mmCIF file of all heavy atoms in Angstrom:
data_model
loop_
_atom_site.group_PDB
_atom_site.id
_atom_site.type_symbol
_atom_site.label_atom_id
_atom_site.label_comp_id
_atom_site.label_asym_id
_atom_site.label_seq_id
_atom_site.Cartn_x
_atom_site.Cartn_y
_atom_site.Cartn_z
ATOM 1 N N PRO O 41 99.548 185.260 63.040
ATOM 2 C CA PRO O 41 98.338 184.543 62.485
ATOM 3 C C PRO O 41 98.688 183.811 61.179
ATOM 4 O O PRO O 41 99.299 184.426 60.250
ATOM 5 C CB PRO O 41 97.318 185.676 62.211
ATOM 6 C CG PRO O 41 98.089 186.929 62.158
ATOM 7 C CD PRO O 41 99.477 186.663 62.838
ATOM 8 N N ARG O 51 91.041 186.312 49.043
ATOM 9 C CA ARG O 51 91.155 187.435 48.095
ATOM 10 C C ARG O 51 89.753 188.054 47.801
ATOM 11 O O ARG O 51 89.546 189.219 47.790
ATOM 12 C CB ARG O 51 91.921 187.208 46.869
ATOM 13 C CG ARG O 51 93.496 186.962 47.136
ATOM 14 C CD ARG O 51 94.218 186.946 45.881
ATOM 15 N NE ARG O 51 95.646 186.451 46.258
ATOM 16 C CZ ARG O 51 96.149 185.239 45.973
ATOM 17 N NH1 ARG O 51 95.480 184.357 45.382
ATOM 18 N NH2 ARG O 51 97.424 184.979 46.347
ATOM 19 N N GLU O 52 88.882 187.051 47.512
ATOM 20 C CA GLU O 52 87.488 187.488 47.197
ATOM 21 C C GLU O 52 86.870 188.109 48.406
ATOM 22 O O GLU O 52 86.113 189.161 48.303
ATOM 23 C CB GLU O 52 86.635 186.315 46.706
ATOM 24 C CG GLU O 52 87.039 185.895 45.320
ATOM 25 C CD GLU O 52 86.387 184.503 44.921
ATOM 26 O OE1 GLU O 52 85.811 183.809 45.875
ATOM 27 O OE2 GLU O 52 86.348 184.222 43.775
ATOM 28 N N THR O 82 99.778 191.861 54.794
ATOM 29 C CA THR O 82 99.764 190.587 54.040
ATOM 30 C C THR O 82 99.294 189.333 54.882
ATOM 31 O O THR O 82 99.889 189.163 55.954
ATOM 32 C CB THR O 82 101.240 190.215 53.515
ATOM 33 O OG1 THR O 82 101.604 191.375 52.781
ATOM 34 C CG2 THR O 82 101.206 189.007 52.656
ATOM 35 N N GLY O 105 82.043 172.135 52.613
ATOM 36 C CA GLY O 105 82.074 171.226 53.773
ATOM 37 C C GLY O 105 83.388 170.482 53.749
ATOM 38 O O GLY O 105 84.005 170.288 54.746
ATOM 39 N N ALA O 115 95.472 172.010 59.991
ATOM 40 C CA ALA O 115 95.844 172.852 61.165
ATOM 41 C C ALA O 115 96.189 171.903 62.381
ATOM 42 O O ALA O 115 97.224 172.142 63.107
ATOM 43 C CB ALA O 115 94.695 173.720 61.607
ATOM 44 N N CYS O 128 92.565 178.373 65.944
ATOM 45 C CA CYS O 128 91.402 179.165 66.162
ATOM 46 C C CYS O 128 90.459 178.946 64.920
ATOM 47 O O CYS O 128 90.860 179.122 63.827
ATOM 48 C CB CYS O 128 91.843 180.640 66.313
ATOM 49 S SG CYS O 128 90.440 181.760 66.482
ATOM 50 N N GLY O 156 92.695 161.618 68.255
ATOM 51 C CA GLY O 156 92.514 160.415 69.098
ATOM 52 C C GLY O 156 92.186 160.567 70.519
ATOM 53 O O GLY O 156 92.716 159.889 71.469
ATOM 54 N N PRO O 167 84.804 187.877 79.303
ATOM 55 C CA PRO O 167 85.491 188.636 80.147
ATOM 56 C C PRO O 167 85.068 188.403 81.630
ATOM 57 O O PRO O 167 83.885 188.337 81.951
ATOM 58 C CB PRO O 167 85.072 190.113 79.737
ATOM 59 C CG PRO O 167 84.647 190.025 78.380
ATOM 60 C CD PRO O 167 84.020 188.647 78.245
ATOM 61 N N VAL O 195 86.442 166.220 84.435
ATOM 62 C CA VAL O 195 86.183 167.570 83.880
ATOM 63 C C VAL O 195 86.991 168.668 84.665
ATOM 64 O O VAL O 195 87.547 169.580 84.109
ATOM 65 C CB VAL O 195 84.611 167.918 83.837
ATOM 66 C CG1 VAL O 195 84.378 169.316 83.461
ATOM 67 C CG2 VAL O 195 84.042 166.936 82.783
ATOM 68 N N ILE O 213 88.732 176.829 91.733
ATOM 69 C CA ILE O 213 87.580 176.242 90.943
ATOM 70 C C ILE O 213 86.352 176.094 91.873
ATOM 71 O O ILE O 213 86.349 175.530 92.970
ATOM 72 C CB ILE O 213 88.069 174.824 90.390
ATOM 73 C CG1 ILE O 213 89.264 174.990 89.501
ATOM 74 C CG2 ILE O 213 86.919 174.150 89.659
ATOM 75 C CD1 ILE O 213 89.940 173.697 89.117
ATOM 76 N N ILE O 218 73.538 170.626 91.187
ATOM 77 C CA ILE O 218 72.481 170.394 90.176
ATOM 78 C C ILE O 218 71.212 171.061 90.553
ATOM 79 O O ILE O 218 70.493 171.615 89.753
ATOM 80 C CB ILE O 218 72.251 168.873 89.980
ATOM 81 C CG1 ILE O 218 73.550 168.238 89.374
ATOM 82 C CG2 ILE O 218 71.102 168.520 89.085
ATOM 83 C CD1 ILE O 218 73.501 166.708 89.369
ATOM 84 N N ASP O 252 86.089 173.996 95.291
ATOM 85 C CA ASP O 252 84.916 174.319 96.277
ATOM 86 C C ASP O 252 83.576 173.773 95.737
ATOM 87 O O ASP O 252 83.361 174.100 94.489
ATOM 88 C CB ASP O 252 84.827 175.721 96.400
ATOM 89 C CG ASP O 252 85.330 176.247 97.786
ATOM 90 O OD1 ASP O 252 85.267 175.402 98.682
ATOM 91 O OD2 ASP O 252 85.702 177.447 97.890
ATOM 92 N N ALA O 265 82.489 185.977 88.633
ATOM 93 C CA ALA O 265 82.713 187.204 87.875
ATOM 94 C C ALA O 265 83.309 188.278 88.709
ATOM 95 O O ALA O 265 84.066 189.150 88.227
ATOM 96 C CB ALA O 265 81.323 187.697 87.292
ATOM 97 N N VAL O 273 82.570 175.153 87.224
ATOM 98 C CA VAL O 273 82.192 173.886 86.566
ATOM 99 C C VAL O 273 80.720 173.795 86.586
ATOM 100 O O VAL O 273 80.046 173.717 87.608
ATOM 101 C CB VAL O 273 82.797 172.696 87.405
ATOM 102 C CG1 VAL O 273 82.446 171.365 86.789
ATOM 103 C CG2 VAL O 273 84.351 172.769 87.551
ATOM 104 N N VAL O 286 74.825 186.249 78.828
ATOM 105 C CA VAL O 286 74.346 187.533 79.395
ATOM 106 C C VAL O 286 75.488 188.568 79.293
ATOM 107 O O VAL O 286 75.186 189.695 79.150
ATOM 108 C CB VAL O 286 73.818 187.316 80.886
ATOM 109 C CG1 VAL O 286 73.678 188.647 81.548
ATOM 110 C CG2 VAL O 286 72.525 186.547 80.840
ATOM 111 N N GLY O 316 79.245 187.369 52.318
ATOM 112 C CA GLY O 316 79.501 187.912 51.004
ATOM 113 C C GLY O 316 79.091 189.399 50.912
ATOM 114 O O GLY O 316 79.198 190.050 49.924
ATOM 115 N N ARG O 339 106.068 179.410 74.129
ATOM 116 C CA ARG O 339 106.990 179.005 73.111
ATOM 117 C C ARG O 339 108.325 179.597 73.394
ATOM 118 O O ARG O 339 108.316 180.851 73.833
ATOM 119 C CB ARG O 339 106.502 179.433 71.689
ATOM 120 C CG ARG O 339 107.461 179.442 70.604
ATOM 121 C CD ARG O 339 106.839 179.786 69.301
ATOM 122 N NE ARG O 339 106.080 178.710 68.795
ATOM 123 C CZ ARG O 339 106.484 177.932 67.742
ATOM 124 N NH1 ARG O 339 107.624 178.255 67.098
ATOM 125 N NH2 ARG O 339 105.731 177.039 67.247
#
Side-chain angles (χ1 to χ4, degrees):
R51 290 188 189 109
E52 290 174 341
T82 302
C128 179
V195 172
I213 299 169
I218 293 172
D252 252 333
V273 181
V286 165
R339 165 177 282 255

